[in-house]
Amino acid sequence: MQPLGLVERRSRVEAAREALVGISQVLYQCSGAELAEVMGEVDSLVALSAAARVAVTAEAVGRGEVEAAGVNATAWVRDHAPSLRQGGAFQVARVAGAGSPSPSRWCPQGQVVDPGSPLGIVWAEVQDGTVSPALACAALREVERLAPIVRDEVLPTVTASMLELGV
């Protein structure tokens, strides 16, 4: 099966957005079990949307779009993701910046982060929607604090454990 291209993905994102507009007006049609199912579907959509925000931001940072706009990554996120103006823009920008190369080293389809490193473990969990940007920031911050006092070979295990506990 051929992976979806950008045009098809954008079309499906737009359809999902349109499907959620006014959903509260039709929820009375759900049984109790259906409400639980709808909640799970919406939650999965939100988690993957959060992952997509990070991926889009990492792409913009890596390509130099953020720098060209003359703002920092947090301001860029706030400008283009208005719902994060209430909070969360910093976390998206922080995680995206950690997983993105500098514009001078940018390559199409993003940087390959060492999957066995603490950053690689966090990045993978964010990209599949398992870990929120807020939890990712907390884990990266704690790994930075622990790095000087913990042996390098145990940092990946400690990172994975922190994420598991947080989830």
Side-chain angles (χ1 to χ4, degrees), residues 35-45:
L35 279 174
E37 290 173 9
V38 169
M39 178 60 101
E41 291 165 355
V42 170
D43 185 64
S44 180
L45 181 62

Side-chain angles (χ1 to χ4, degrees), residues 8-152:
E8 180 65 22
R9 287 176 191 269
R10 287 187 70 182
S11 174
R12 290 182 182 196
V13 167
E14 183 178 344
R17 182 181 48 79
E18 289 172 2
L20 290 175
V21 172
I23 195 169
S24 63
Q25 297 167 356
V26 297
L27 291 175
Y28 71 90
Q29 299 171 11
C30 291
S31 68
E34 287 173 318
L35 279 174
E37 290 173 9
V38 169
M39 178 60 101
E41 291 165 355
V42 170
D43 185 64
S44 180
L45 181 62
V46 169
L48 290 171
S49 295
R53 282 180 181 150
V54 172
V56 169
T57 305
E59 186 77 16
V61 168
R63 284 189 190 182
E65 299 294 329
V66 172
E67 187 177 340
V71 296
N72 64 28
T74 302
W76 189 90
V77 171
R78 278 192 197 114
D79 287 347
H80 300 290
S83 68
L84 294 180
R85 291 177 185 160
Q86 301 169 38
F90 172 79
Q91 289 90 357
V92 169
R94 166 84 162 85
V95 175
S100 173
S102 67
S104 63
R105 299 183 295 131
W106 187 244
C107 59
Q109 299 176 5
Q111 174 187 16
V112 177
V113 178
D114 175 9
S117 71
L119 175 58
I121 292 166
V122 171
W123 185 253
E125 297 283 321
V126 168
Q127 289 304 299
D128 72 11
T130 304
V131 167
S132 71
L135 175 56
C137 282
L140 290 172
R141 186 175 53 249
E142 290 305 313
V143 166
E144 287 173 7
R145 287 181 49 209
L146 291 172
I149 58 174
V150 175
R151 296 179 66 142
D152 289 344

